[in-house]
Amino acid sequence: MTDMASTESTQSSQSSDAHAARDAHARAARAAVAPAPLFELEGAAFEADGRVLLHPLDLVLPAGRMTALIGHNGSGKSTLIKLLARQQACTRGTLRLRGTALGDWPAREFARQVAYLPQNPPAATDMTVRELVALGRYPWHGALGRLSADDHAHIDEALRLTDTARFPSQLADHLSGGERQRVWLAMLVAQAAPCLLLDEPTSALDIAHQIEVLRLLRTLTDERALTVVIVLHDVNLAARFCDDMIALHSGRLLQCGTPDEMMDARVLESIYGIPMDILPHPHSGSRLAVAR
């Protein structure tokens, strides 16, 4: 039994090493590619009830890359991603998608371009998992349209990719929090939009499922040229899986750059307000942040 446990532990460690090495190599290769812009913000700001939640912001979000929004609670991450998702409109400045002002996109065409997962998805009362995932096809067939063979193929693939095909007939609101989160992610995958906006999609997941979700998003970015913008609290996971990191503080853009540029002790202390040490990953050599 001891030898078997030792062998399994060694195999698990080797698998982790291989994943870490591949992540580091792929990130270095992606850093050499000059991406085209997808979203462009010029003086974009948002105010509500007399409070400035997002100060005027000039920013370009590139296409075909995975970008993390990081920062402390209340830094403006969710406000920014809601602006990108057209859940609320800028109160100042302009925001463009592919060169066209966000407000000028017809609703259905915008939904074919951008899929959004909020921090707290609505209740899916009396809906099965498959029915909920099928909602992702709404922009393609309309409220009264019947699901085509192509729609069903997208739904089946989304269920498979997110490991939710095991319970398609179960009621979504009877699942665990982590399982429900993966079903919502499956709905976004079924939507087949080239841009995914996700507000803390890993918050209800254990570490194993966090890695699975982020690895899936990384694969979608790489293999299908998707653009992913994701709000994350774990800076190490953001640095491991994302091409770019954007740090906000008190509603202002603090700094942005690649993980190699952002994983710096002084930069991270300015973001989070506590001293941070940077250590090499024991397998890949990439930088890890540790609070003192």
Side-chain angles (χ1 to χ4, degrees):
M1 290 293 291
T2 302
D3 290 344
M4 182 178 296
S6 177
T7 300
E8 291 175 350
S9 176
T10 300
Q11 291 174 340
S12 176
S13 176
Q14 290 173 342
S15 176
S16 177
D17 291 356
H19 278 304
R22 282 198 297 269
D23 291 340
H25 177 74
R27 190 176 70 196
R30 294 190 301 267
V33 178
L38 181 68
F39 289 102
E40 298 170 276
L41 295 84
E42 294 181 359
F46 183 75
E47 300 179 20
D49 300 323
R51 291 181 57 218
V52 179
L53 300 180
L54 193 68
H55 292 267
L57 180 62
D58 294 316
L59 186 66
V60 174
L61 289 170
R65 290 168 75 85
M66 188 167 169
T67 300
L69 304 182
I70 63 171
H72 62 80
N73 290 337
S75 61
K77 304 184 300 297
S78 291
T79 298
L80 174 55
I81 208 164
K82 286 177 183 176
L83 293 181
L84 299 176
R86 213 164 71 164
Q87 298 298 301
Q88 51 198 25
C90 298
T91 52
R92 291 176 57 187
T94 59
L95 202 170
R96 295 188 296 273
L97 170 66
R98 301 190 190 281
T100 299
L102 234 57
D104 291 344
W105 284 84
R108 181 170 292 181
E109 185 57 33
F110 184 80
R112 290 179 177 181
Q113 295 292 321
V114 176
Y116 168 62
L117 182 64
Q119 187 173 344
N120 298 301
T125 306
D126 296 329
M127 295 187 70
T128 68
V129 166
R130 189 175 183 87
E131 288 170 341
L132 180 56
V133 175
L135 291 180
R137 301 305 299 163
Y138 172 79
W140 301 97
H141 67 76
L144 301 179
R146 292 188 175 183
L147 293 173
S148 66
D150 185 59
D151 292 322
H152 284 294
H154 277 92
I155 294 166
D156 290 339
E157 181 182 39
L159 290 167
R160 178 183 60 80
L161 286 173
T162 56
D163 192 30
T164 52
R166 296 175 289 111
F167 39 74
S169 300
Q170 291 190 34
L171 292 177
D173 57 2
H174 288 181
L175 300 175
S176 69
E179 289 171 334
R180 279 199 306 273
Q181 195 77 339
R182 284 188 285 135
V183 172
W184 282 104
L185 180 58
M187 187 190 76
L188 263 66
V189 173
Q191 191 170 330
C195 177
L196 305 183
L197 306 176
L198 306 103
D199 192 352
E200 297 188 42
T202 61
S203 60
L205 304 180
D206 58 48
I207 185 61
H209 285 111
Q210 288 181 42
I211 296 293
E212 287 179 8
V213 166
L214 291 171
R215 188 166 283 143
L216 168 61
L217 293 170
R218 181 71 261 168
T219 299
L220 292 172
T221 304
D222 292 338
E223 297 184 357
R224 305 190 182 189
L226 295 191
T227 302
V228 175
V229 182
I230 181 170
V231 175
L232 287 174
H233 277 293
D234 190 318
V235 68
N236 288 316
L237 289 180
R240 175 176 174 181
F241 287 99
C242 295
D243 302 303
D244 306 292
M245 299 166 68
I246 296 172
L248 298 170
H249 193 288
S250 302
R252 290 183 169 86
L253 175 64
L254 187 64
Q255 190 157 339
C256 57
T258 65
D260 285 343
E261 294 167 335
M262 298 292 284
M263 295 297 279
D264 175 88
R266 288 173 296 179
V267 171
L268 294 179
E269 183 172 356
S270 70
I271 296 170
Y272 295 106
I274 58 172
M276 306 282 277
D277 290 320
I278 305 298
L279 304 174
H281 190 285
H283 304 300
S284 69
S286 60
R287 298 174 183 177
L288 291 175
V290 180
R292 290 183 189 172

